[in-house]
Amino acid sequence: MTEARPDRPGTDRQDRRSAPSPGGFPPHRVDGRPGGLSGPVPDLRRIGIAPDHWYPVATSRKVRRNRTFATAFAGQRIALYRGRSGTVHALEDRCAHRQVPLSMGVVEGDILRCCYHAWAYRGDGRISQIPYLPKGCERPPRGVRSYPVREAYGLVFVFPGDPALAEAAAFPRLPEYHSPAHRTMTFSRTVRCHYSFMHENLLDMNHQFLHRSVLGRIRPELLGYETGPRHVEARYLFVPAGGRKDRGAGLLSAEGVGGRDTPDVITIRTEYPYQTLRGVPEGTDLPAFSLWAAYVPEDAEQRLNHAYGLLTIAKPPVPGAMHLAWPLIRRFTERVFAQDRTAVEAEQRAWDEQGEDRNHEVFPLILDLRDVLRSNGVPLRSDVESGCTPCGLATPAHRAGVASGAAAARPAAPAAEGAAE
């Protein structure tokens, strides 16, 4: 159930043309928790992403038939391979024999053979053959771990958590991807930061000054937001305030179709662990574009994530117009992403240098987002004394500690009153 916040100015469900003043929100401590709450607050950058969800780990075109592809999730090395049948399989990227990466191996039909001693594995991870093993000798009882796999939207998804939960776990639904009235642009980029910085960057649209060279001057106005145990959703009105903007920005928001230069209503939602954005020109009901994104940690410390994005754009009624606009839209989105990446990687460097999160967040929307990410995540291995899995994440028994604020974390450094991020 969604929990609305009517008690806070500017956080109801009715659209507003102006965002509330910061003074209208209840006081928050530097650590981001309401002043009335006590107890330690886990450092969000020490919280790992929960593994019991479907995560993209490659684009489909990278996993070619009869070839392997090396990828990773939170320190778990994964070997993908597409067999003769066209099905993609995902195995732990190590041979059970000498631990040589299976991604260095050879695909034969629908099995994967290690490049070293030619041990062969089926798609379920079981050993199919050990060529030199004499008859009568017992084969090892286990092979390697396999991962549930689903291929959709031009991406390869794996379920890195408990495989028994995979079938019932929610899978992203993107109906517009298959619509002939839309065209989708795929993004796949490595970003050197904790995945939470990515969620904050997209949800907090007050950073448009960063994009002034491509968007001109934009005045984002918070219309309202709502939050629940697993989500935060915010709505902004993007009001143009002059300045020159990239041509691709106008084409993306459908200005090039009708010559409009009207404000856009931007809705961003973190529905753990994914994030979406929809842009609707004011006065219309249909989105001009929508974005689905997932930020997948690659290393065990989760200081590196792979950002996958699907930007679905409504085709204009003029035949061939989208084909002509596509390169301009692509250039615009790449420029915006490059600027965002520069900012979030700088945030990560500051965390690394300080050894803790010292930023002084003042925006209640982001404070609520952090609570959602904390309560749904799991402690990283460095913060847990015992009960860790090999991938650096805590076992489910430790997850309740994160939600209650009981997980170990370094205290935030004192800051001058009124300091802003």
Side-chain angles (χ1 to χ4, degrees), residues 152-171:
Y153 316 124
L155 301 173
V156 177
F157 292 77
V158 301
F159 194 87
D162 183 349
L165 303 177
E167 187 174 351
F171 193 79

Side-chain angles (χ1 to χ4, degrees), residues 192-380:
R192 297 184 177 279
C193 74
H194 190 262
Y195 63 90
S196 61
F197 287 117
M198 302 295 287
H199 281 272
E200 293 178 4
N201 170 265
L202 190 61
L203 194 62
D204 187 353
M205 282 292 169
N206 295 305
H207 74 275
Q208 295 313 306
F209 183 76
L210 176 69
H211 303 308
R212 60 195 181 278
S213 62
V214 289
L215 282 173
R217 293 192 298 274
I218 294 290
R219 189 174 71 251
E221 299 177 355
L222 181 63
L223 300 175
Y225 83 93
E226 58 185 38
T227 183
R230 300 184 60 84
H231 84 276
V232 180
E233 180 177 287
R235 298 182 310 283
Y236 298 86
L237 189 67
F238 265 34
V239 181
R244 183 179 178 182
K245 68 179 178 180
D246 189 286
R247 178 61 176 155
L251 294 171
L252 180 61
S253 59
E255 291 175 12
V257 178
R260 298 186 301 269
D261 190 12
T262 58
D264 293 331
V265 176
I266 306 294
T267 302
I268 309 105
R269 182 181 181 92
T270 289
E271 181 79 35
Y272 194 90
Y274 315 119
Q275 199 164 41
T276 58
L277 181 149
R278 298 171 75 247
V280 180
E282 193 178 38
T284 67
D285 297 324
L286 299 177
F289 62 93
S290 59
L291 172 70
W292 177 89
Y295 316 117
V296 184
E298 294 186 341
D299 59 322
E301 293 184 346
Q302 303 199 17
R303 300 290 174 262
L304 186 75
N305 79 85
H306 200 102
Y308 292 91
L310 298 172
L311 179 64
T312 303
I313 307 167
K315 293 180 180 178
V318 181
M322 179 58 74
H323 177 75
L324 296 175
W326 201 252
L328 297 174
I329 295 174
R330 184 85 196 194
R331 185 189 68 174
F332 160 70
T333 54
E334 293 285 3
R335 292 179 68 187
V336 169
F337 183 83
Q339 292 171 344
D340 284 332
R341 178 161 56 182
T342 297
V344 296
E345 290 184 345
E347 289 185 282
Q348 182 64 60
R349 286 195 300 273
W351 191 98
D352 292 337
E353 292 165 1
Q354 297 163 357
E356 60 188 0
D357 202 344
R358 296 186 184 179
N359 63 44
H360 307 147
E361 185 53 65
V362 296
F363 196 21
L365 168 65
I366 297 304
L367 298 177
D368 285 347
L369 169 68
R370 290 180 179 179
D371 282 342
V372 168
L373 296 178
R374 283 190 190 99
S375 63
N376 288 284
V378 294
L380 290 173

Side-chain angles (χ1 to χ4, degrees), residues 169-185:
F171 193 79
R173 292 184 66 256
L174 307 173
E176 292 175 347
Y177 181 88
H178 300 289
S179 168
H182 296 80
R183 184 176 176 184
T184 299
M185 187 177 290

